[in-house]
Amino acid sequence: MIQFVTWVVFGVIVGSVAKWFYPVDDKHGMLATLGVGVVGSFVGGLASYVLAAGHSPYNPAGFVFAIVGAVATLAAWNWYSQQPPSL
């Protein structure tokens, strides 16, 4: 249970910092921020693993990679949502 709470808190923090770096017109609120933070942590963790920069999200490299991953997730989501629907 404590790991779930830790993931939620970490996801909200990372998502909030990512939205500060990459402001978007977000009408979804805290749940979208949590989703961006968790997905960004996953993407950043993969990048950290590939670059062998650190494996724990609690060290500074893990936190930085999580934020970079969350910003990349926001950019990708913003790009995807701006595309016109295809036939």
Side-chain angles (χ1 to χ4, degrees):
M1 181 67 178
I2 192 73
Q3 287 180 335
F4 178 74
V5 173
T6 304
W7 267 98
V8 168
V9 170
F10 189 73
V12 168
I13 291 170
V14 168
S16 297
V17 171
K19 284 186 177 182
W20 184 70
F21 279 120
Y22 191 88
V24 293
D25 185 25
D26 185 24
K27 298 178 180 95
H28 300 292
M30 191 62 70
L31 189 59
T33 303
L34 172 65
V36 163
V38 170
V39 171
S41 294
F42 182 73
V43 170
L46 285 176
S48 175
Y49 179 76
V50 168
L51 296 173
H55 300 294
S56 174
Y58 304 110
N59 65 15
F63 187 68
V64 169
F65 273 103
I67 291 172
V68 169
V71 169
T73 302
L74 274 174
W77 180 260
N78 191 33
W79 176 79
Y80 178 75
S81 64
Q82 299 298 325
Q83 298 294 319
S86 61
L87 297 176

